[in-house]
Each structure stands twice: as C-alpha cells, then as structure tokens.
Amino acid sequence: MGDARNAATGRKAGAGGWFGRRVDRDRNLGLRLTLATGAVFLFLVPFTLLAVLVHTSFGPLNDLDEGVARDLHTYAMAHPGWVTFLQAWTDVFSPGVWRVLVGLAVVWLLLRRAPRLALWAATTITVGGLLGLALKGLTARARPHLPDPVALAPGSSFPSGHALNATLGAGVLVLLLLPLLKGRWRTVAWAVAAVIALGVAYTRVALGVHWVSDVVAGVVLGVAVIAATTAAFETWRRDIGRRPSEPLREGVEPEAKQEIFPKGHQDGHGG
C-alpha cells in the first residue's frame, strides 16, 4: 500500500510534463525555471542577434541605420526648435539623472528598513550600467558621422547608454512604486516609463549621435537586466516561503509596502 501511495504521489507530482513543471505557480522549481528561462531568452536572443549583425556589418541593418540617420538629420537641420526640444529631453533623462533618482530611492529604502529592495534597485542600475560600458568597449562601434552635426557625443556607439539607463531607471522606479498603485494607475505608470525610455532612444538617433540599432540594443538590454534581477529576487521570495507574485502588476516585493511608506500615505491609489 505504501509503495502504491508513493507511486501515485510521484505520478501526481510529475503531472503536466516538462511545460507543466515550468508554469506551475505552486512549485518553486517551476517558477524559478519559468522566470530564469524568460530572462535568459530575452537577453540572449534579440540582443545577441543584434550584436552579431552589428559586429559583422550586416548590409540591410547598415542601410536601415544610415537611411534613418540621414533622414532625421535632414529634418533636424531644418528645425532648430525641434533640436532644442530633443536636447532638453535627452538631458533631463540622461544616465546621470537616473543614477541620482535610483540612488535617492535606495537611500529611502534603507531608511525605511527595506534593505532587500534597496539592494535589488542598486544592483539593477549598477550591473546594467557596467554591462553597457563593457559592451561598448567590446564592440567599439563608431558613432554616426554626419555633415554639420547638431550634437556630438564621446565614446563608442553600441549599445546606447542613454537608452539603456533610461530603461533601467524608469523600470526600477515603476517596480518600486507598483505596490502603491492599483488598476489603471499601474498601466499609466508603465506607459509613462515606456514613453520616457522610447523618447530618449528617439532623441539619440534624431540628434545624430546613435544609430537605430544602438538604441534598440540599449532598450532590449535594459529590459533584459531588469527581467534577470527581478527573476532572481522572485526566486529568493519563493525560497523563504512567500507566495508567488506578479512583479509586472504588484512590484518586486509587494509585502514591503507597509515597511516603506508611513501609514498616513497608504491611501489614495494604494492597493
């Protein structure tokens, strides 16, 4: 009888096969594999493919980069007011600004006794930034050389540091704020983050200091780093016995809401 029960238990535990073990929210291993696989896939496939195409000077990609750069430069030359707006946008949402904002958030989290969230935020912005710098050094891609440039930037071109850091900074801040939001306000938060990051990416190409493939790579890499660190954080949550969460809806650590924000500020849009 004991052997029969064990066999039945084993069959039950194995139900669902390979896919079932990876999407079953009630199994730590399944959740871990799902998140880790998604993060690795997001990083390896689109970003690596783009990096290879850039490194090998893939003709169609070069034609796309050069054609877009030429057209946007022509428009910028004819519209100096537009250039001023683009420069203001790229300056307001520059990498240094995001580092300061995330740094202030880290300090706030430490003061509110949420060291795990502080570590996650600091790790995400730091690892992403350092990874971007390392990849710039490895690819050593030249920036666009346009006649009568409207803007200049130092260093290598691939991936775009501005696009990368805007994606990292906006993503980190939204994930920290999500526990306070509910319903449509979560959608609004993600929409604002996307507009900021994509807006920064556009300004870098329109100002003639990056190719299209540079900014696409920066955004993809930023999303991949956030996905990877969030997956690691969710794995830790599961390892200590906490319920599965939905980071894109609830934030990285939904339980930290009571720790981070004083009771007087938990109403309004809080869930």
Side-chain angles (χ1 to χ4, degrees):
M1 289 294 291
D3 292 339
R5 283 195 299 270
N6 290 338
T9 302
R11 286 194 298 273
K12 184 177 180 181
W18 184 90
F19 182 76
R21 289 193 298 273
R22 281 153 179 77
V23 299
D24 188 347
R25 285 166 57 94
D26 293 330
R27 292 189 176 90
N28 194 340
L29 178 59
L31 181 63
R32 180 180 305 184
L33 289 174
T34 300
L35 291 169
T37 300
V40 171
F41 181 85
L42 181 64
F43 173 76
L44 287 180
V45 175
F47 181 83
T48 303
L49 176 61
L50 192 56
V52 169
L53 294 178
V54 167
H55 183 70
T56 57
S57 299
F58 184 61
L61 180 62
N62 286 344
D63 292 341
L64 172 66
D65 280 339
E66 293 173 2
V68 172
R70 187 166 52 249
D71 291 345
L72 290 181
H73 181 65
T74 299
Y75 185 86
M77 290 290 293
H79 299 83
W82 179 237
V83 173
T84 301
F85 172 77
L86 295 176
Q87 192 64 59
W89 186 283
T90 200
D91 289 343
V92 168
F93 299 113
S94 66
V97 171
W98 290 113
R99 292 173 190 135
V100 170
L101 290 177
V102 174
L104 292 174
V106 168
V107 172
W108 170 255
L109 291 170
L110 291 174
L111 292 175
R112 300 305 304 173
R113 299 182 181 179
R116 296 180 298 272
L117 267 183
L119 178 61
W120 171 80
T123 298
T124 301
I125 196 77
T126 302
V127 169
L130 292 176
L131 187 56
L133 289 174
L135 290 169
K136 278 180 178 288
L138 288 174
T139 56
R141 188 187 197 188
R143 293 179 183 270
H145 293 285
L146 300 168
D148 300 317
V150 297
L152 296 172
S156 299
S157 188
F158 183 92
S160 165
H162 276 68
L164 168 60
N165 282 277
T167 303
L168 289 171
V172 166
L173 295 180
V174 168
L175 286 168
L176 292 177
L177 289 173
L178 282 179
L180 288 179
L181 307 177
K182 64 179 180 181
R184 64 187 178 89
W185 291 106
R186 291 167 174 164
T187 303
V188 169
W190 281 119
V192 170
V195 168
I196 290 174
L198 294 177
V200 169
Y202 173 79
T203 66
R204 304 309 286 168
V205 181
L207 288 171
V209 294
H210 275 293
W211 307 106
V212 171
S213 52
D214 296 337
V215 298
V216 171
V219 171
V220 170
L221 180 59
V223 173
V225 170
I226 292 174
T229 59
T230 301
F233 198 91
E234 179 65 10
T235 297
W236 167 81
R237 292 181 71 259
R238 292 285 289 170
D239 283 343
I240 65 173
R242 290 183 177 175
R243 66 169 178 82
S245 70
E246 300 177 47
L248 292 179
R249 189 177 66 86
E250 301 177 273
V252 178
E253 191 175 14
E255 301 85 356
K257 177 181 176 181
Q258 301 295 329
E259 302 173 6
I260 299 173
F261 296 94
K263 293 182 179 179
H265 296 277
Q266 291 175 4
D267 297 326
H269 302 311

